[in-house]
Every structure is written in C-alpha cells, then in structure tokens.
Amino acid sequence: MHEKILLVEDEKTLAKALKFSLEKEGFQVDVAYDGEEAVRAIKNEEPDLVVLDLMLPRMDGFEVCRSIRRGSDIPIIMLTARSEDIDKILGLELGADDYITKPFNTRELLARIKAILRRTGQHAGPAKKILRYGDLQIDFARHKVTVGERVVLLTSREYALLSFLASNPGRVYSREQLLEQVWGYNYCGDARTVDVHIRHLREKIEENPAEPRLILTVWGTGYKFREG
Ligand code: CA
C-alpha cells in the first residue's frame, strides 16, 4: 500500500525536506543524489514514481530520464528551474509525465504525485473495451494503441489524454477541462502543457499531423475527438 517514490535531487537540504514531507503523507521515499545513483536505484528498488531533478552532477536529468525510458514506463515528474525546458521534457524523446518549475510549493508537488499515482493505479480496472476509428485502435484493457499494423508508443499521459478524448467523441473540451480531467488537479494555468501533448499525440497517430482528422482543434475553445 505504501507507494515507493524515488527522489533524485542533489541539493541535500531540499532532498531532506521533500523526503520528510512525502513520508509524512505515507510514501516510502528513497533518495538518490546523482544521476548514476538514480539509475541504479530504479533497477534495484523498483519505485512506483520518480521525482527527478534536471540539474544533477555526473549525469543530468535528461540523461537519467532517457535511460529510464529505455526500459520502463514508470511515471516521472521532472523538477526544472526553467519553464522553457517543458517542450523537451514532455517530448517524444524523453517522455516525462509531468514537470514542476522550481521554486515550487511542496503541496503542489504532492498533488501531482497523487494525481499520477491515482491514474496509474487505475490500470488494473475492469475496462475491457476496444475503440476503433479508421486505422486507429485503442485497446483499453491492454493499454495498447495501434495505427494499422503499427504499435504506437505513448507516454502514460499521452495515453490518458487520448483515451479520455476518444472515450468522449464529439465533445469539446477546453484546455482547463482537460487539465482537470486528465491531469487530475487544478493546474495553475499552464495550458501549453495540453497543447504540447496534443501536438505529440498528433505526430504519433495522425496520418498528417498538420491536418489532423482524429484530434480536432476547436478554435477559441479547445479540442475534441472526431465523431464516428
Ligand atoms: Ca539540482
């Protein structure tokens, strides 16, 4: 029941404070102080979620993230000092699940951790359904998305966003509604996060991402999944 979090942060004071706060919430927390230690800990400790600082000695957060993603889809929340990094962080290559910009409020980090774990905890749910839209097929039971014969590799957030939209075809959602429904908390207003994920999803599932036919933009409002 006690979910295990690996905290990767070289600033010892911050690491200690975060460990304390997370443990107070009932999590089991391991701390790694550099990237190499983090990669080892992920193999040995099999955490449920990783909180990963971007600026680390020896091997930075990007490298660690890439290394994790080669073998695992474990949820990753990146800590970054610069919001310009988000495109790369949430991107195809790295595939972190979320990010938080330093300095941050511990409660906000906790909310994000809980939202992600709530969502990943639902994976064993009873959904046994397959949705098909043209060449796109979403197998909810197996969390598998295919376009024709091609298996599409999605990050867990991309999958959550796609399955949410595709389960409600034709319904228009604003970015704020998507943040609330898919991210699971009241995101403090960074709607770009939604746009970045939509763009990546389109690159992965649309025949021509520049002229999307599955995930449609509703100008001035938000997005919807095509009907029928
Ligand atoms: Ca650092």
Side-chain angles (χ1 to χ4, degrees), residues 4-7 46-51 74-77 112-114 116-117 120:
K4 204 195 272 187
I5 294 176
L6 175 68
L7 176 61
E46 297 186 349
D48 297 298
L49 182 144
V50 182
V51 176
I74 179 177
I76 301 172
I77 298 178
R112 293 181 187 210
I113 289 173
K114 287 180 181 170
I116 289 181
L117 288 175
T120 51

Side-chain angles (χ1 to χ4, degrees), residues 66-79:
R66 242 176 253 129
S67 158
I68 296 172
R69 278 289 172 264
R70 275 197 285 270
S72 158
D73 63 354
I74 179 177
I76 301 172
I77 298 178
M78 291 277 244
L79 305 179

Side-chain angles (χ1 to χ4, degrees), residues 17 30 40 84 225:
D30 294 314
R40 264 200 310 279
E84 311 90 79
F225 201 84

Side-chain angles (χ1 to χ4, degrees), residues 152-183:
V152 183
L153 296 176
L154 299 178
T155 67
S156 60
R157 187 78 75 185
E158 286 165 358
Y159 176 81
L161 182 59
L162 175 64
S163 52
F164 177 75
L165 286 169
S167 300
N168 301 280
R171 241 193 99 175
V172 181
Y173 292 96
S174 68
R175 291 166 178 81
E176 290 70 25
Q177 283 171 320
L178 290 172
L179 284 171
E180 208 177 307
Q181 294 290 329
V182 177
W183 276 253

Side-chain angles (χ1 to χ4, degrees), residues 8 54 59 103 108 121 140 174 182 199 205:
V8 189
L54 186 55
M59 187 178 176
E108 201 185 339
F140 289 100
S174 68
V182 177
R199 195 171 72 241
I205 66 169

Side-chain angles (χ1 to χ4, degrees), residues 207-227:
E207 200 181 317
N208 177 4
E211 282 176 42
R213 298 177 63 186
L214 295 165
I215 300 176
L216 310 174
T217 300
V218 182
W219 293 109
T221 313
Y223 297 101
K224 69 173 183 182
F225 201 84
R226 81 163 213 213
E227 270 175 288

